Amino acid sequence: ARRTRARTRDSAQGTPTEKPHRPARKRMFVLSMAGNTFPFAEPTPMTDAKTIIEELLQRRTPATFRAGGPSMNPTIRDGESVRIRPLRAGDPLPGAVALYRRHGRLILHRLLRRDPATGAFRVAADAAAAGGEWIAEADLLGIAEWVRRAGRARRLDSPIARRTGLLRHALRPLRRALLHFRAANHAHASAPRP
């Protein structure tokens, strides 16, 4: 008899009968990362990557995932693997790329500075020519250690990487001016000539 059938036939009468109901076995969702096994006590079908990443970082375990979106281009490109480590004493340092919670999403942007009065952090995307936002320290989850590009891990938490990121942010007014110049030049070049 096949185990996948939900019904069997009563051999004496040839009529279908229901199999006795067996209680469902309790299934455990287990994630293995960095040689450690992490059971999740109450698995749900809606357990998503965001929940797993947050739980790993809360357990002081680094997490690696594929970044989505162009906001951190060229530092982190869409689809590249990024490793995030949990926060340590002395974290975060200005210029670090941090993972934080915002409006139910996980966001990876550069930390620019800390407001000493409120303890909030100013963050901004590397690809943005303007803007940024303030986030609470409680929303910080971890710091990006490296990004995997062309088969090699490229450090993001080194002093030179942090300084390069801060320099890129400091040059945003120049990038805005270049964008306006290009737009004006393009409009002038595409205008009809008399």
Side-chain angles (χ1 to χ4, degrees):
R2 291 178 60 190
R3 289 185 179 174
T4 57
R5 286 189 183 174
R7 300 174 147 231
T8 60
R9 294 215 173 252
D10 185 2
S11 59
Q13 299 173 349
T15 59
T17 58
E18 295 291 327
K19 281 187 176 178
H21 176 69
R22 283 192 228 158
R25 282 188 278 167
K26 187 172 181 177
R27 295 172 61 168
M28 208 54 172
F29 177 71
V30 178
L31 179 69
S32 178
M33 181 171 268
N36 297 316
T37 303
F38 301 97
F40 291 86
E42 294 185 26
T44 65
M46 298 306 291
T47 301
D48 60 351
K50 177 181 111 27
T51 306
I52 294 169
I53 291 166
E54 283 188 46
E55 189 159 336
L56 284 171
L57 291 170
Q58 288 169 357
R59 292 180 185 207
R60 316 288 307 146
T61 301
T64 302
F65 61 91
R66 289 197 184 277
S71 68
M72 284 301 290
N73 208 11
T75 306
I76 301 168
R77 297 180 184 146
D78 186 26
E80 290 182 327
S81 293
V82 181
R83 181 180 173 102
I84 307 295
R85 67 169 170 76
L87 293 172
R88 299 180 192 151
D91 275 344
L93 295 171
V97 176
L99 181 71
Y100 62 94
R101 260 184 241 102
R102 189 69 163 181
H103 305 297
R105 296 176 51 210
L106 295 183
I107 300 173
L108 198 58
H109 282 171
R110 189 166 307 277
L111 287 167
L112 303 173
R113 66 180 182 274
R114 181 180 194 157
D115 182 0
T118 64
F121 292 93
R122 181 78 175 164
V123 294
D126 280 2
E133 63 184 348
W134 289 95
I135 60 165
E137 185 174 9
D139 290 333
L140 286 176
L141 297 172
I143 302 297
E145 281 187 308
W146 51 256
V147 61
R148 184 158 305 278
R149 180 172 298 154
R152 296 181 59 197
R154 184 173 159 231
R155 297 298 300 192
L156 296 175
D157 61 347
S158 68
I160 189 113
R162 289 194 311 270
R163 277 184 285 219
T164 301
L166 289 173
L167 178 61
R168 180 172 181 77
H169 179 73
L171 294 174
R172 281 173 29 153
L174 178 60
R175 288 175 34 214
R176 276 195 302 274
L178 285 173
L179 288 173
H180 288 295
F181 176 75
R182 283 183 187 168
N185 194 19
H186 179 69
H188 177 70
S190 61
R193 300 192 185 236

